[in-house]
Amino acid sequence: MCALNFTCVRFSYILLGMDTTEYTSGDFRRAVGHRLKVRLYEKGISIADAANAIGLSRVTMSRKLNQTCNETFTVDEYARLCDLIGSSADDIFQETKNALSD
């Protein structure tokens, strides 16, 4: 399965004819992690509870959210996390893009 190191996302956006440069930068990946943490907070879900719900340890979840140690979510993990927070990957990416452009 493809790791969500934004290669899969980048390919999806290429198919849609969108510029992908901004979606592959380290800053964008960290901003997505921050957006996910904000959504978890808004839903009242702790990092540990979210990690447990998608089958990760709390430490691994934190590493993936914070983009440390080059750890990334798999597409399946990311999809389960988006389901948990009641959002879609596109919504998260668009919100992040909007926040970075402000």
Side-chain angles (χ1 to χ4, degrees):
M1 178 166 287
C2 181
L4 191 66
N5 59 8
F6 294 85
T7 301
C8 295
V9 174
R10 182 172 178 238
F11 180 70
S12 299
Y13 282 108
I14 288 170
L15 291 176
L16 295 173
M18 297 173 68
D19 179 22
T20 61
T21 306
E22 62 207 59
Y23 295 101
T24 57
S25 74
D27 290 339
F28 185 78
R29 290 192 308 259
R30 282 185 292 281
V32 166
H34 177 73
R35 177 67 47 196
L36 290 168
K37 288 187 285 187
V38 166
R39 285 292 191 93
L40 288 168
Y41 177 79
E42 290 172 345
K43 297 285 185 176
I45 303 168
S46 71
I47 301 289
D49 289 341
N52 189 44
I54 67 170
L56 298 174
S57 72
R58 184 196 53 77
V59 171
T60 300
M61 178 73 156
S62 291
R63 284 182 182 156
K64 290 182 178 197
L65 285 171
N66 295 320
Q67 289 293 302
T68 57
C69 304
N70 259 350
E71 293 195 43
T72 57
F73 290 104
T74 64
V75 172
D76 185 52
E77 290 166 347
Y78 193 75
R80 285 185 277 158
L81 183 56
C82 286
D83 285 344
L84 182 66
I85 61 175
S87 189
S88 70
D90 287 337
D91 290 342
I92 297 295
F93 293 142
Q94 192 60 48
E95 288 174 18
T96 303
K97 181 181 174 185
N98 292 342
L100 289 174
S101 65
D102 290 342

